[in-house]
Amino acid sequence: MRRRQNAAPSSAAKYTPKTPDSSKSDDLGFFHIFLFSSEKRIFAFCLAFRMLNALLVQTYFNPDEHWQGPEVAHRIAFGYGHLTWEWKEGIRSYLHPMLFVVLYKILALLRLDGPWFMMKAPRLLQSLFSAVGDLYLYKLSTVVFGDCVAKWALFSQLTNWFMFYCSPRTLSNSLETVLTVVSLYFWPCMRSSRKCSFVSRKWGLFIAALACAVRPTSAITWLYVGLLELLTARDRLRFLCLEVAPIGVLVLGLACLLDCFMYGTWILVPLNFLKFNFLSSGGDYYGTHKWHWYFTQGFTVMIFTHLPFSIAGILYSKQWKFAGLMAWVLAFYSVLGHKEFRFVLPVLPIALMFSGYSLAVMDDRGSSKSKEKGSLKKYNQCPTKMIVAILFLLATNIPMTLYMSLVHQRGPEDVMNHLAREALDEKVRSVLFLTPCHATPYYSMLHSNLPMQFLDCSPSEDRGKGVPDESDRFLMDPVAFVSEYAKTWSQPSHIVLYDSEEKKLRNYLMSLDYREEKRFFNAHFKVDRDLQASIVVYVLRR
């Protein structure tokens, strides 16, 4: 097989924390003897961890988790479900939802499509992909820094609160993150090894193309990596003509054919996505932040207490290729007005890899001083600074993980789980959601073909002229809005709303013969609106 010379790595890239023999003498107890003895065992451990992760995450983060994946898949698999305006405008690809279509078909075939499985199965499926991402972060860290760093990079990945919070969620960003880590492992220009086969690069291109098909903005990452490969490769013509062009055309072409089939017309989703989000700044409709938001708040909150370890790892390792990739992605998204934490999720594992580097340096128990003294007992002792670092990371991340995954904003999922059980017992005829639009999951969790309505907030020309949408009009004056709305509605059997509006509407709803049926805790503090401490279900008396 032909091989090529890659760019000469820096001396720091070759650094592996000193150990007499990392395969024999590194005293990590059970984790070294059992867990790290094979990649299969590492994957099995990560899979078990992520499945538990998926079961523990019981909160609502972003509407896209439900409305752009499982909801679309539910419509395809079962014939009913809501398509948001994005699907009518053709700026979303069906590639990601099709994963859940297969899952739903299997659940229906096995007659397991009850409320619990419909709620948990999509996240359990994503946990499988997340475990693959964890394994490949370990493998990537191994080829870049060495085995010792890889172990601590995996530790950083599994203990980071935001990775725990997002990894099992059915966001396209979560799958994009996995594909990004896997693809980076195969790119020659990102490795420290001088030799790398062309087969490896082709796999990297193929997976990168998949990431772009799932989420077009992933091209931001691969523009940087592709240009770096082009600058360092000797076979540039072959790279462009015999690898980039055919693999890109094949993957993106198949994705476009799938979209054309599902949309029922010829459509180029990446182009529509580009026009809406970049050329027309359509994303600004959902709010904007200042250019420095990712640097001063966004990425800082995501990485939380791992941040100082990551910065130290970057400075000490001098692996500027990966540091440059993070800076490039953060800088590019900073130019856009609309910003969200999940947009830069794909580069979070890279930051955590550097955190693992710092931890490995502190765990450098094979120092020459220890060897000279010949003290095996002292050599095997875990350094005090390492113990302090581990306890610090666990003490800060575990409470944050449990609170965000089990407590904060759990109301929307609890209320849909309740309605799903009630609908299964034929106690629900119809539902009206008097909440900000897309504030709860929808048919993908209810799994009953009942009439449901929610307040619309689709972008429109009128909104650009300052005309509020239904959701805004309701929040401005709930009583006036519902009074007008009730003149034309088909009275629902159940109404769902947050307590912040329920206080204003309670008397009016009771006058319409509704009573409070159930109240679910939601949050202790406000996020971007007034405090929504609980979410309430009202039911029609007759």
Side-chain angles (χ1 to χ4, degrees):
M1 183 179 294
R2 292 182 59 192
R3 294 183 178 272
R4 45 105 70 184
Q5 292 290 104
N6 194 20
S10 65
S11 59
K14 300 177 184 178
Y15 174 79
T16 302
K18 302 173 184 178
T19 54
D21 184 344
S22 61
S23 64
K24 295 180 181 179
S25 302
D26 190 15
D27 182 23
L28 292 178
F30 167 81
F31 290 102
H32 175 70
I33 297 171
F34 181 78
L35 177 58
F36 294 109
S37 60
S38 72
E39 289 183 355
K40 289 182 179 179
R41 289 183 176 180
I42 294 173
F43 176 71
F45 175 79
C46 291
L47 180 58
F49 181 87
R50 288 304 177 194
M51 291 183 73
L52 176 63
N53 184 176
L55 295 176
L56 284 176
V57 171
Q58 300 174 30
T59 55
Y60 197 76
F61 173 39
N62 187 279
D64 283 6
E65 178 186 359
H66 298 281
W67 291 80
Q68 307 300 347
E71 185 69 19
V72 179
H74 192 279
R75 182 183 178 93
I76 298 170
F78 299 107
Y80 61 97
H82 183 84
L83 293 182
T84 60
W85 65 269
E86 290 99 328
W87 299 92
K88 297 171 185 177
E89 295 293 327
I91 65 173
R92 295 280 183 177
S93 173
Y94 277 92
L95 185 60
H96 182 234
M98 290 304 291
L99 296 172
F100 304 108
V101 172
V102 176
L103 174 65
Y104 285 150
K105 289 292 187 181
I106 293 174
L107 290 178
L109 182 65
L110 299 176
R111 297 184 178 180
L112 293 175
D113 54 329
W116 191 89
F117 277 100
M118 293 300 293
M119 180 179 183
K120 298 297 184 181
R123 286 177 178 169
L124 287 171
L125 175 62
Q126 177 59 36
S127 71
L128 172 62
F129 302 136
S130 298
V132 173
D134 295 335
L135 173 64
Y136 270 86
L137 179 65
Y138 174 86
K139 295 175 68 172
L140 176 64
S141 302
T142 300
V143 299
V144 176
F145 292 120
D147 184 61
C148 187
V149 173
K151 296 168 186 176
W152 290 113
L154 182 60
F155 172 81
S156 295
Q157 172 94 338
L158 298 182
T159 56
N160 178 257
W161 80 271
F162 197 76
M163 286 301 300
F164 191 97
Y165 184 62
C166 287
S167 286
R169 295 187 183 274
T170 52
L171 292 160
S172 60
N173 310 88
S174 299
L175 182 59
E176 178 195 6
T177 301
V178 173
L179 294 172
T180 299
V181 173
V182 175
S183 182
L184 285 173
Y185 171 77
F186 289 106
W187 279 89
C189 65
M190 305 304 289
R191 287 170 170 257
S192 294
S193 174
R194 288 178 177 271
K195 294 183 178 181
C196 187
S197 70
F198 288 111
V199 174
S200 173
R201 189 168 66 186
K202 290 175 183 176
W203 274 112
L205 278 165
F206 175 75
I207 299 168
L210 275 180
C212 293
V214 168
R215 190 165 177 81
T217 49
S218 190
I220 297 168
T221 299
W222 303 115
L223 178 62
Y224 173 92
V225 176
L227 288 174
L228 186 61
E229 179 69 21
L230 189 63
L231 292 173
T232 58
R234 293 183 177 180
D235 55 333
R236 297 175 184 174
L237 189 62
R238 175 191 175 107
F239 173 61
L240 290 174
C241 299
L242 299 182
E243 295 182 34
V244 175
I247 292 174
V249 170
L250 175 64
V251 174
L252 298 179
L254 290 175
C256 287
L257 287 177
L258 172 65
D259 290 331
C260 291
F261 175 76
M262 296 304 300
Y263 277 105
T265 185
W266 288 103
I267 190 169
L268 197 58
V269 170
L271 180 60
N272 292 342
F273 187 92
L274 176 67
K275 287 180 179 178
F276 180 81
N277 287 286
F278 294 95
L279 301 183
S280 65
S281 300
D284 293 357
Y285 175 82
Y286 294 104
T288 60
H289 297 88
K290 294 182 179 179
W291 69 270
H292 53 74
W293 185 79
Y294 283 120
F295 297 94
T296 59
Q297 182 178 348
F299 202 64
T300 304
V301 171
M302 290 166 63
I303 200 166
F304 195 38
T305 51
H306 284 91
L307 182 60
F309 297 96
S310 296
I311 294 175
I314 292 171
L315 296 177
Y316 195 60
S317 70
K318 299 180 182 178
Q319 265 288 353
W320 305 121
K321 291 179 292 187
F322 286 97
L325 174 58
M326 286 193 296
W328 162 254
V329 171
L330 291 171
F332 194 99
Y333 277 111
S334 296
V335 175
L336 304 179
H338 181 58
K339 300 174 178 65
E340 295 185 36
F341 292 110
R342 60 192 178 95
F343 290 170
V344 295
L345 182 63
V347 296
L348 181 57
I350 300 174
L352 296 173
M353 181 174 69
F354 284 113
S355 173
Y357 187 95
S358 293
L359 293 173
V361 170
M362 285 188 282
D363 190 35
D364 189 358
R365 286 168 282 175
S367 65
S368 57
K369 184 176 181 181
S370 296
K371 291 179 183 179
E372 291 171 1
K373 290 185 176 182
S375 173
L376 182 61
K377 182 178 180 180
K378 183 174 182 179
Y379 168 74
N380 283 336
Q381 288 179 345
C382 187
T384 302
K385 59 184 177 182
M386 168 55 64
I387 296 175
V388 172
I390 293 174
L391 292 177
F392 172 71
L393 289 174
L394 293 178
T396 51
N397 280 275
I398 290 178
M400 187 79 164
T401 294
L402 294 177
Y403 181 77
M404 297 300 293
S405 299
L406 293 171
V407 180
H408 182 61
Q409 294 188 156
R410 65 171 297 143
E413 303 222 352
D414 285 343
V415 75
M416 290 308 299
N417 195 27
H418 166 73
L419 290 174
R421 292 195 301 269
E422 293 289 290
L424 195 63
D425 295 334
E426 299 183 351
K427 296 179 180 179
V428 181
R429 296 194 310 273
S430 58
V431 185
L432 172 63
F433 293 90
L434 292 176
T435 61
C437 65
H438 310 134
T440 68
Y442 214 50
Y443 282 109
S444 63
M445 278 187 62
L446 186 76
H447 194 49
S448 293
N449 194 8
L450 301 171
M452 294 202 296
Q453 286 182 291
F454 65 93
L455 304 179
D456 182 60
C457 63
S458 303
S460 65
E461 293 183 3
D462 289 339
R463 177 64 185 267
K465 298 175 182 177
V467 179
D469 55 36
E470 279 189 345
S471 181
D472 289 334
R473 295 204 309 272
F474 168 72
L475 293 174
M476 287 188 290
D477 192 342
V479 176
F481 179 88
V482 176
S483 299
E484 186 66 26
Y485 194 82
K487 294 178 182 178
T488 57
W489 72 6
S490 177
Q491 194 168 21
S493 65
H494 290 69
I495 294 178
V496 178
L497 69 168
Y498 283 108
D499 66 315
S500 52
E501 284 70 47
E502 181 253 351
K503 295 173 184 176
K504 304 171 185 177
L505 282 168
R506 181 182 299 150
N507 293 335
Y508 182 73
L509 291 176
M510 292 179 67
S511 72
L512 295 177
D513 211 17
Y514 284 94
R515 63 174 176 83
E516 180 182 327
E517 180 190 43
K518 199 81 172 178
R519 184 178 295 265
F520 299 93
F521 168 80
N522 184 58
H524 289 112
F525 56 88
K526 66 179 182 179
V527 181
D528 53 358
R529 293 186 174 91
D530 293 336
L531 173 63
Q532 297 168 334
S534 59
I535 189 167
V536 193
V537 179
Y538 274 76
V539 62
L540 194 61
R541 294 179 186 274
R542 56 182 184 274

